[in-house]
Amino acid sequence: MTQVDQIALEYQQSLAMLDPVGAFTRGDLSRAGELTDLSPDGERVRADLARTTIRRVLATAAEERAGVGAQAMLERLAVVCDNFDQDEWMRDLSVFGAQSQIRGSFDLMARTEECDWDLIAHKLTLVPRAVEGLIATLAEGLARRRFAARRQALACAAQTRVWGGGGPGPGFFTTLVMGYRGADTKLAHALEEGAGSAAQAYLELTRFLEWDYAPSAPARDGVGRERYHLALRRHLGMELDLEEAYSFGWSELARLAAEMESVADRIAPGQGVPGAVSALEQDPELAIEGEDNFRAWSQDFLDATVAALDGTHFDIPDPVKRVEAMIAPPGGSPAMYYTPPSSDFTRPGRTWYPTLGRTRFPLWNEVSTAYHEGVPGHHLQLAQTCYLAQDLNPFQTLIGGVAGHIEGWALYAERLMDELGFLERDDYRLGMLASQAMRAARVVVDIGLHLDLPITRGQRFHPGERWSWELAVEFMMENSRRSRTFCAGEVDRYLGLPAQAVCYKLGERVWLQARDRARNRCGAAFDLKAFHRIALDLGCVGLGQLLSELGGLEPADMPGRPSR
């Protein structure tokens, strides 16, 4: 272990104490019963830890600072410090924010033994204090006029109301403890009391967001160019020419639209993409009825994909072969998501599907989504990183996770499965193209909304007009073939997490650029399976560093692995 590795390990251990929810989500099961201090003091302590760690790394030998892990570490820690110094921490309000992370951490807790429920009962008692800290941080933002947009406050309030039981149904925490089937009446009472206090805390957060925060928050949704550039560094780990990226999004949409029309014409001749989608949606032979049946189909599909790829296109370690398909609890994001395994793989990697009340699931656009969230997408990448944790600096594992690296790989994985011949059916290929088009539309909408750009002249969609929430929802519906409810939730998410929505398509572009550069440099020696192994063995790094590491591969590198 190098000195930098030791510093990274000590940072990881300290951060786990200061952010146990993040540590538990990343796989540290010892933190399952703890919640993060979300108060201003908690935020300041974590920023101080990052600053101290940067100084320690810079004091090491030059050859150590030049390593892959050290560079990844310095890049991520600089973003943490800048995020604090520019006050982003006190207006970090989105449907994927702290209130969602608190609730989501309960999804990952074991519920088999009495001791598991004891831990849940204890953790429920910590929710009010965690929520109180979050309210204090948001209140400091109000006092210092560091606001999130009003729309984000109201979207989060709608979310916390559902989880707190203020809407139809019993609420998340009440539903959680209803799952206890043991005979210990004292524990049952503790669970009920804890659920009540947690639910009340979420309803208090709802009241704060609606009555204290939203009236003072600005109506303007976009964050502007300066804040957007910081968000780009946070989510991509590189700088971008935003006008070029905006133009790229439009050109990708045009390319994908032409491909979709061609495939659609084979499915429903003369009826265009809407006609083809309608035919696929209505065909009873191409849909699954019932939530339980859909979860079972998803599990079978994940297992079959692992079996098909292992030993041919990837060498998948045995612990990584296990991935579970789950149905997401109501009230969260409308988009499917993934949670990584625990460090010892006793908690497997899981894909989470929000049904949004639906009981019928057409499959034409679910196959590429399963590749994205499962294998060879998020699960293969992140579970492989977990498997290699002993060989990597912690900043190359999940502690330094860069969304553009992670989401870019998952979108690249969808395209890769098409290249490898797994999407020969026209209905599944149309689903993959629609998925790609939605991600290209995100680039256009996210940059356009946050920078207040005009819609490019010459486009048939409202040319020359300025982007608004209403136009963005309409645009996403047109380019994703999804419902208005889904697209409204998507746009709210983009506005609450600036630059996160672009990391899929722009991240995929970097992965493709890195592959093209490696192929050109290696010539006949280039091997795709070896390239993927080398790429995944790097762990998670910023996109700028990824392009440098993979784009510089030589023929001699193909059989081996890059050094740390």
Side-chain angles (χ1 to χ4, degrees):
M1 180 178 290
T2 68
Q3 188 177 356
V4 167
D5 290 339
Q6 181 62 39
I7 294 169
L9 180 60
E10 291 171 8
Y11 176 85
Q12 181 185 35
Q13 293 167 343
S14 297
L15 184 63
M17 291 187 288
L18 299 176
D19 180 19
V21 169
F24 176 53
T25 301
R26 290 188 294 269
D28 183 351
L29 298 185
S30 69
R31 303 292 170 179
E34 303 173 35
L35 288 177
T36 302
D37 180 1
L38 300 171
S39 70
D41 285 344
E43 297 286 354
R44 292 184 183 104
V45 170
R46 287 188 289 275
D48 287 343
L49 174 64
R51 269 189 281 269
T52 300
T53 305
I54 288 175
R55 289 194 294 268
R56 293 183 65 194
V57 174
L58 292 177
T60 63
E63 59 269 21
E64 286 204 20
R65 297 199 303 274
V68 174
Q71 290 301 302
M73 187 176 181
L74 289 171
E75 189 273 329
R76 286 293 87 189
L77 291 175
V79 171
V80 171
C81 294
D82 290 346
N83 199 65
F84 183 85
D85 292 341
Q86 296 185 34
D87 296 335
E88 289 301 308
W89 59 278
M90 65 179 70
R91 52 187 171 194
D92 188 6
L93 190 57
S94 77
V95 293
F96 279 108
Q99 78 288 345
S100 179
Q101 292 159 18
I102 293 170
R103 190 215 61 77
S105 69
F106 285 93
D107 291 342
L108 303 178
M109 297 183 74
R111 305 178 193 179
T112 305
E113 308 294 336
E114 292 285 299
C115 61
D116 298 331
W117 288 101
D118 274 327
L119 194 60
I120 289 172
H122 166 71
K123 188 168 177 174
L124 286 168
T125 67
L126 304 181
V127 172
R129 184 171 181 180
V131 171
E132 181 182 326
L134 174 59
I135 291 174
T137 291
L138 294 173
E140 182 164 331
L142 281 180
R144 295 171 56 179
R145 304 191 62 79
R146 298 294 190 268
F147 304 112
R150 183 178 306 150
R151 189 184 309 279
Q152 295 306 310
L154 296 176
C156 291
Q159 184 185 61
T160 54
R161 182 184 295 107
V162 170
W163 290 337
F172 170 78
F173 298 103
T174 301
T175 302
L176 170 68
V177 301
M178 287 169 61
Y180 176 64
R181 297 288 185 266
D184 187 335
T185 56
K186 183 177 180 181
L187 175 56
H189 180 68
L191 285 165
E192 185 178 344
E193 278 200 340
S197 63
Q200 188 57 45
Y202 266 66
L203 292 177
E204 175 59 26
L205 177 57
T206 303
R207 189 211 65 77
F208 170 79
L209 291 171
E210 288 185 332
W211 294 98
D212 297 343
Y213 199 98
S216 300
R220 184 174 185 267
D221 287 312
V223 300
R225 191 173 293 265
E226 182 179 354
R227 290 182 62 198
Y228 196 85
H229 272 291
L230 176 59
L232 275 175
R233 288 178 50 215
R234 176 183 176 186
H235 291 299
L236 273 70
M238 68 184 303
E239 293 284 355
L240 282 179
D241 179 334
L242 291 175
E243 277 68 26
E244 186 278 332
Y246 187 60
S247 177
F248 167 76
W250 283 111
S251 64
E252 272 292 277
L253 270 178
R255 179 185 69 81
L256 290 162
E259 286 197 47
M260 290 173 69
E261 288 291 344
S262 177
V263 175
D265 198 51
R266 294 197 295 270
I267 296 171
Q271 298 182 43
V273 174
V277 170
S278 178
L280 295 174
E281 291 277 339
Q282 295 173 20
D283 190 334
E285 299 297 318
L286 301 176
I288 301 292
E289 295 285 349
E291 184 178 288
D292 290 341
N293 290 334
F294 180 71
R295 194 209 63 77
W297 174 87
S298 298
Q299 186 65 62
D300 290 344
F301 189 86
L302 289 168
D303 293 341
T305 305
V306 169
L309 293 180
D310 182 37
T312 54
H313 303 291
F314 296 91
D315 292 320
I316 305 177
D318 284 342
V320 178
K321 293 176 184 177
R322 182 185 174 204
V323 54
E324 287 187 353
M326 307 289 287
I327 300 299
S333 166
M336 193 173 177
Y337 59 95
Y338 171 80
T339 54
S342 60
S343 56
D344 61 0
F345 285 90
T346 56
R347 183 189 78 203
R350 290 168 175 155
T351 62
W352 297 83
Y353 192 97
T355 63
L356 305 179
R358 294 179 297 135
T359 58
R360 183 175 183 276
F361 305 92
L363 298 180
W364 69 277
N365 64 346
E366 299 298 348
V367 169
S368 63
T369 302
Y371 291 146
H372 182 108
E373 301 294 339
V375 176
H378 287 323
H379 177 69
L380 179 61
Q381 181 192 36
L382 298 179
Q384 176 80 357
T385 299
C386 182
Y387 181 75
L388 294 172
Q390 296 301 314
D391 300 320
L392 296 173
N393 178 305
F395 278 82
Q396 293 166 269
T397 59
L398 294 181
I399 195 173
V402 182
H405 182 283
I406 295 168
E407 298 294 354
W409 168 265
L411 193 59
Y412 168 80
E414 294 185 46
R415 182 192 291 244
L416 176 67
M417 292 302 278
D418 185 34
E419 295 174 349
L420 296 178
F422 285 83
L423 293 171
E424 290 182 339
R425 284 179 48 167
D426 283 334
D427 53 343
Y428 293 167
R429 189 158 195 277
L430 184 64
M432 183 275 292
L433 293 170
S435 170
Q436 292 270 334
M438 181 175 73
R439 275 38 178 253
R442 283 175 172 175
V443 175
V444 172
V445 166
D446 197 63
I447 296 175
L449 278 171
H450 284 293
L451 271 63
D452 193 28
L453 297 178
I455 297 172
T456 302
R457 295 192 180 278
Q459 300 292 333
R460 63 176 182 78
F461 183 87
H462 298 269
E465 294 186 34
R466 294 276 170 177
W467 283 104
S468 65
W469 184 88
E470 292 78 10
L471 285 178
V473 172
E474 180 185 344
F475 188 76
M476 291 306 300
M477 289 174 65
E478 182 176 310
N479 287 284
S480 71
R481 316 293 165 179
R482 302 293 186 98
S483 69
R484 180 175 179 82
T485 299
F486 178 91
C487 292
E490 282 282 288
V491 173
D492 283 348
R493 165 187 157 195
Y494 308 159
L495 290 168
L497 291 169
Q500 193 275 341
V502 306
C503 68
Y504 301 76
K505 199 64 181 158
L506 298 181
E508 179 205 36
R509 180 166 69 160
V510 171
W511 277 101
L512 290 169
Q513 288 170 344
R515 189 177 73 175
D516 288 344
R517 290 187 187 181
R519 178 179 280 120
N520 290 336
R521 290 175 68 92
C522 295
F526 180 82
D527 179 80
L528 186 60
K529 183 179 178 182
F531 171 79
H532 289 147
R533 186 195 67 236
I534 293 168
L536 293 179
D537 284 1
L538 277 175
C540 193
V541 297
L543 290 178
Q545 187 176 0
L546 178 78
L547 190 58
S548 174
E549 296 290 339
L550 296 181
L553 292 176
E554 300 286 351
D557 295 319
M558 280 288 109
R561 304 175 182 220
S563 64
R564 287 189 298 148

